[in-house]
Amino acid sequence: MSAESSNPAATPTPCEDTQGDGRWMSLHNGFVSYSKDKEPDVLFVGDSLVQLMHQFGIWRQLFSPLHCLNFGVGGDATQHVLWRLSNGELDNISPKVVVLWVGTNNHGHTAEQICGGIMAIVQVIHNKLPHAQTLVLGLLPRGKMPNPLRERNANVNKLVEDALSSLPYAHFLNVDPGFVSSDGSISYQDMYDYLHLTAHGYQAVCEPLHAFIKSLLDKPAEN
């Protein structure tokens, strides 16, 4: 545990209530309570890219029929998701697939630290849901033009894909359909603020994601 404790991205941490309205903890408690009478086949967990997916037609079209729950919280970094999943959000449900999309908000952390945080989450999911498959989504590029965070996210993806390659219960999926054009720019038609996705952007991300989730759901359960 010493390696984890020295990595802030892999240390379970509740989100600081800087605005004073208790929203983050209320959302967490709501997820724990809401899950008590649900039997999802698929759980989505992560940051605003997960949370906002729920607001678009693509969710109702592709994911609602698969019996999905959405436990996305805007602004979450790996250490926040790690805390949430360690403190009740997985305790009442037994999904077959957990989709994890987090890491782009880990500002001030290195690619190696963020990878460590993601892998710590994967381990918690496996400990609590030993029969579930975890699908880790690659971090998307961000910013209108090339920038250090884009490079960091790409490095995280390489590290995570490599780290997951030996785990039979976890998978990596690059969901970037090619948002960066030949001149290095990202279009506002795909990411309206160069971070969050438009309906068009979600369509491009979610169609291959849906196909991959379906393939995992169709696999025989691991014992």
Side-chain angles (χ1 to χ4, degrees):
M1 292 296 290
S2 57
E4 271 191 21
S5 60
S6 63
N7 178 2
T11 304
T13 310
C15 190
E16 188 179 351
D17 185 22
T18 53
Q19 294 163 344
D21 60 3
R23 273 191 327 115
W24 188 87
M25 194 60 73
S26 296
L27 280 169
H28 165 68
N29 290 334
F31 292 151
V32 174
S33 177
Y34 181 73
S35 68
K36 286 181 180 172
D37 61 349
K38 297 291 182 290
E39 295 182 1
D41 286 331
V42 183
L43 172 67
F44 283 72
V45 65
D47 55 32
S48 58
L49 288 168
V50 170
Q51 184 182 39
L52 295 172
M53 191 186 295
H54 201 254
Q55 309 301 320
F56 286 82
I58 196 79
W59 179 268
R60 293 184 293 280
Q61 177 192 339
L62 294 183
F63 298 124
S64 292
L66 299 182
H67 304 105
C68 297
L69 283 183
N70 187 313
F71 285 0
V73 176
D76 263 14
T78 56
Q79 65 271 21
H80 306 130
V81 170
L82 190 57
W83 189 93
R84 292 199 281 123
L85 298 190
S86 300
N87 286 276
E89 290 186 15
L90 299 179
D91 291 1
N92 304 303
I93 51 177
S94 299
K96 298 171 185 171
V97 176
V98 179
V99 181
L100 174 65
W101 205 8
V102 71
T104 199
N105 294 321
N106 280 74
H107 304 303
H109 297 160
T110 66
E112 290 76 14
Q113 287 175 321
I114 298 168
C115 175
I118 290 170
M119 295 307 295
I121 297 169
V122 170
Q123 188 61 52
V124 166
I125 294 169
H126 185 59
N127 290 348
K128 288 182 173 282
L129 303 170
H131 301 297
Q133 297 283 316
T134 299
L135 176 56
V136 180
L137 306 188
L139 304 184
L140 294 177
R142 52 182 292 164
K144 184 176 182 181
M145 299 302 294
N147 62 82
L149 285 182
R150 217 189 260 185
E151 292 173 24
R152 185 205 66 181
N153 282 5
N155 288 335
V156 170
N157 289 346
K158 291 193 193 84
L159 292 167
V160 171
E161 184 172 16
D162 186 54
L164 292 174
S165 62
S166 61
L167 301 180
Y169 52 83
H171 314 269
F172 178 85
L173 181 64
N174 176 13
V175 289
D176 177 12
F179 284 136
V180 179
S181 63
S182 57
D183 67 356
S185 68
I186 289 175
S187 170
Y188 70 90
Q189 294 178 329
D190 292 320
M191 295 183 180
Y192 60 87
D193 60 354
Y194 308 107
L195 173 64
H196 297 99
L197 294 166
T198 61
H200 183 264
Y202 270 119
Q203 190 87 27
V205 163
C206 289
E207 285 178 350
L209 170 58
H210 174 260
F212 201 99
I213 292 171
K214 284 275 290 177
S215 73
L216 291 178
L217 288 173
D218 290 341
K219 283 180 66 170
E222 299 281 334
N223 292 317

